[in-house]
Every structure is written in structure tokens, then in C-alpha cells.
Amino acid sequence: MAKPKETSKNLLPIVLSVLLFLLIVTTYQVFMADKYYPLSFVGNINVSFLTQGEAARIVQANFQKRARQKLTFYSPQEIFTIDIATSSANLDYSKLSEAFNNSHGRPFQDQVKLELQTIFSPAQITPKITLNLDKQLDAIALAVDKEPQDAKLFFDETPNAEG
């Protein structure tokens, strides 16, 4: 039979380990309370460890940068360019808030389970983007949509100077 003093010596490292683990988990909970979890992406933008406001600003800056770019389409007859900046492009941020709210504010056990999952599997957030390209596409359609023509084959029966 083990002596009480030996049992407490053997139990002390286990109790200290459990306390250390709980301290680490609690510290992580406090640190991540207002931040996106690791491996959180909006498109190709990593928003891990960012607050909702920081993530929205970065996504907005990237969206505005891309909105200034032009898309070029090639056809056999012509080259067409679509200017996204004039297309009334809008980004719906509700998916960012929704993803954040779905991952935070759960019961403690569910929260810890989700946090452990996010360490190993990325979370992809896909906001809704709306573009109004009607005018530009109508202009391209007018240039491209032509009535089909029947093929014609002509024979020239005039004698050749060579032959």
C-alpha cells in the first residue's frame, strides 16, 4: 500500500499538468475571443488572427484593387475589354460576420473542439459579390452576335495566264 506522502508526490505533476493545460486553453480563449481562427480564408486572403474590422478592411482593399483591373476577352474578329470599376461591383460582408458568429459564442466544450479542428482544416469564407455588367455585355453582344451566312463557293473558269 502506498504511503499518503508518496501518493501526493505522484499526483502533483498530474494536477500541475492539468492546471497548465487549462491555463493555456483559457488564455487562448481570451486571445481569440474577437479574432478569426487559424487557417481562415476569404478567397486567397488569410484572415487568421484578425478582428472582424481588420479582416473587412483587408478584404475591401483587395476587392477595390481587383475592381480597378480590366478583363480582356478575345474573339477572332476583335478584342473586348470589360471595366469592372464601372460595373457597380459590390461585396456583401454578411458572410464574414456570419462565419465569425458561427465560430464564436458556443458552449465551452464545443468551442474548444472547433478551435482544435481549425488548427488542422482551413475554413473558407465566400462572400457574395455582385456585378452589373449588362451595358458592357450588351455592347459585346452587338459586336459579336451577327446573323449567320450561308457559305458560298465560287469557281473561276477564266483561263490562267500560265496554263
Side-chain angles (χ1 to χ4, degrees):
M1 185 163 131
K3 296 177 187 174
K5 199 169 193 175
E6 276 184 35
T7 305
S8 66
K9 275 186 178 180
N10 293 337
L11 196 58
L12 185 63
I14 294 171
V15 170
L16 289 176
S17 296
V18 168
L19 286 174
L20 180 62
F21 176 75
L22 289 175
L23 181 64
I24 290 170
V25 169
T26 304
T27 303
Y28 185 77
Q29 291 286 324
V30 170
F31 177 73
M32 295 302 293
D34 64 340
K35 295 175 180 63
Y36 284 94
Y37 291 131
L39 299 176
S40 295
F41 294 89
V42 177
N44 63 347
I45 303 166
N46 188 349
V47 295
S48 303
F49 304 108
L50 298 178
T51 63
Q52 288 187 62
E54 293 168 337
R57 282 191 294 278
I58 289 174
V59 169
Q60 177 65 27
N62 190 290
F63 179 73
Q64 287 176 344
K65 178 181 152 192
R66 288 186 177 194
R68 288 190 293 271
Q69 297 174 345
K70 295 182 181 188
L71 301 174
T72 304
F73 297 95
Y74 300 91
S75 79
Q77 301 83 15
E78 216 171 321
I79 297 174
F80 300 100
T81 303
I82 293 181
D83 187 4
I84 299 175
T86 62
S87 67
S88 303
N90 292 314
L91 180 65
D92 182 8
Y93 292 96
S94 63
K95 288 289 183 181
L96 275 90
S97 297
E98 184 180 315
F100 184 86
N101 294 334
N102 285 341
S103 64
H104 290 71
R106 295 174 176 223
F108 183 75
Q109 291 171 324
D110 294 342
Q111 193 74 27
V112 171
K113 183 179 175 183
L114 179 64
E115 289 168 359
L116 289 173
Q117 287 174 347
T118 61
I119 292 172
F120 301 107
S121 64
Q124 191 64 257
I125 304 166
T126 309
K128 183 179 177 184
I129 299 173
T130 54
L131 295 172
N132 185 355
L133 300 172
D134 292 343
K135 291 179 184 177
Q136 295 180 60
L137 292 177
D138 288 345
I140 292 173
L142 283 174
V144 174
D145 290 343
K146 307 240 185 227
E147 284 292 321
Q149 295 179 355
D150 291 335
K152 296 178 183 176
L153 182 61
F154 295 98
F155 290 101
D156 189 7
E157 295 184 18
T158 55
N160 219 347
E162 296 173 6

